[in-house]
Amino acid sequence: MQHADPIAAAYVERWNEATSSSTPGTCPIRHVLDKIGDKWSMLLVMTLASGPRRFNQLHREIPDISQKMLTQTLRDLQRDGLVARQVFDTKPPSVEYRLTTLGQSLIVPFGRLIEWANSSMPGIAAARSHFDAFS
Amino acid sequence: MQHADPIAAAYVERWNEATSSSTPGTCPIRHVLDKIGDKWSMLLVMTLASGPRRFNQLHREIPDISQKMLTQTLRDLQRDGLVARQVFDTKPPSVEYRLTTLGQSLIVPFGRLIEWANSSMPGIAAARSHFDAFS
DNA sequence: CGGAATCCTTGGGGATACTG
DNA sequence: CAGTATCCCCAAGGATTCCG
């Protein structure tokens, strides 16, 4: 073990347990990571984090997503229980999306990662320019 | 704002600042998320978390990665300063990879996410089977 | 308004073979 | 051992059109 940090060491151990106990293809962690890395999921989660939105309202706030991917991503999030969909039977019909409790519980751990990304950016940029210059 | 949780609220706010201040395409957070969601990066990081490895040693521990992707992912990680590469001039040559300090600093925030994934799995699975049954 | 259906392009990534 | 070089395939996702 290389870490003075016991918290990191604990996470590594838990990771090893989790990944070794499941078959390579069906690892449940992978499914979560796929959503994180997926182009739109987390953007939608963080957008909905500040309150419920209607379909076209989301589309206006995120102009560069296609309707197809907006629909698809929302359905996947709903399927996983992170987002709730509520239909109001008005004319014309309106549909509201909001984070579930489960969805809200993702904000903090995800936020830690964003925090890391922001504070590590300078170091990454420096490493990258050094690498590109000398390799 | 929908959150009783002030920590979550703070992360949402920071997210909004970070994403609104950069142009859609070049958002630095996206680059990090791409690495997280990328098929092999985090697997390699977590593998190297328990100690330095040689090239083929990594390949043996992660049999389902291709040499191409192993090389490519390691180079990207090295470029971003997360992994250090050390060449020993022996015969035959041997190359060792290890996490940098920056790379190690990713373990904890990433671990929180894994923790969330593990503890949320039952809820996600339940939501999904419910969704698949009734939709 | 809130989608569904279809077509089409791009690049991530696997398989294989070769090299210092 | 530690890679590099090619070829190839498939699925994620964009653009467009249609519908209740």
Side-chain angles (χ1 to χ4, degrees):
Chain A
M1 191 63 64
Q2 304 294 311
H3 303 286
D5 184 348
I7 302 184
Y11 278 129
V12 171
E13 191 179 345
R14 298 185 61 174
W15 165 272
N16 287 335
E17 293 171 14
T19 51
S20 64
S21 63
S22 59
T23 59
T26 63
C27 175
I29 294 180
R30 271 254 57 92
H31 178 259
V32 175
L33 294 188
D34 286 349
K35 297 191 82 68
I36 304 295
D38 147 326
K39 200 171 181 184
W40 303 111
S41 291
M42 292 315 297
L43 183 55
L44 281 177
V45 168
M46 293 309 280
T47 301
L48 290 174
S50 38
R53 305 292 153 92
R54 305 245 316 263
F55 185 86
N56 280 336
Q57 195 175 356
L58 281 169
H59 203 183
R60 276 189 297 274
E61 289 191 43
I62 312 175
D64 47 343
I65 192 176
S66 59
Q67 295 102 332
K68 177 186 174 183
M69 290 317 294
L70 180 54
T71 306
Q72 191 178 115
T73 306
L74 283 172
R75 202 184 328 106
D76 287 350
L77 290 172
Q78 186 195 353
R79 186 171 116 98
D80 284 353
L82 301 181
V83 161
R85 185 184 117 117
Q86 188 174 7
V87 182
F88 296 95
D89 207 354
T90 58
K91 12 90 185 173
S94 80
V95 180
E96 197 175 87
Y97 293 90
R98 71 181 65 229
L99 288 186
T100 61
T101 305
L102 185 60
Q104 293 186 21
S105 72
L106 177 53
I107 295 175
V108 169
F110 180 72
R112 310 255 191 222
L113 207 62
I114 299 307
E115 197 174 41
W116 180 89
N118 273 324
S119 64
S120 301
M121 261 195 44
I124 294 179
R128 205 175 309 169
S129 59
H130 179 271
F131 183 91
D132 292 346
F134 291 92
S135 291
Chain B
M1 191 62 67
Q2 305 294 311
H3 303 285
D5 185 349
I7 302 183
Y11 278 128
V12 171
E13 190 180 348
R14 298 184 63 173
W15 165 271
N16 289 333
E17 291 172 15
T19 51
S20 64
S21 63
S22 60
T23 60
T26 62
C27 175
I29 294 181
R30 271 254 59 90
H31 178 260
V32 174
L33 294 188
D34 286 349
K35 297 192 80 70
I36 304 295
D38 146 327
K39 199 172 181 181
W40 302 112
S41 291
M42 292 315 298
L43 183 56
L44 281 176
V45 168
M46 292 310 281
T47 302
L48 290 174
S50 38
R53 306 290 152 93
R54 306 244 315 264
F55 185 87
N56 279 337
Q57 195 176 355
L58 281 170
H59 204 183
R60 276 188 297 274
E61 289 189 44
I62 312 176
D64 46 344
I65 193 177
S66 60
Q67 303 96 324
K68 177 188 173 182
M69 289 317 294
L70 180 54
T71 306
Q72 192 176 117
T73 307
L74 283 171
R75 200 177 337 101
D76 287 350
L77 290 171
Q78 186 196 353
R79 185 170 115 96
D80 284 352
L82 302 181
V83 161
R85 187 184 117 116
Q86 188 174 7
V87 181
F88 297 95
D89 207 355
T90 57
K91 12 92 186 173
S94 78
V95 180
E96 195 174 87
Y97 293 90
R98 71 181 66 229
L99 288 187
T100 61
T101 304
L102 185 60
Q104 294 187 20
S105 71
L106 177 52
I107 295 176
V108 168
F110 180 73
R112 310 257 190 220
L113 209 61
I114 299 307
E115 197 175 41
W116 180 89
N118 274 324
S119 63
S120 303
M121 260 193 44
I124 294 178
R128 204 175 308 169
S129 57
H130 179 270
F131 183 91
D132 292 346
F134 291 91
S135 294

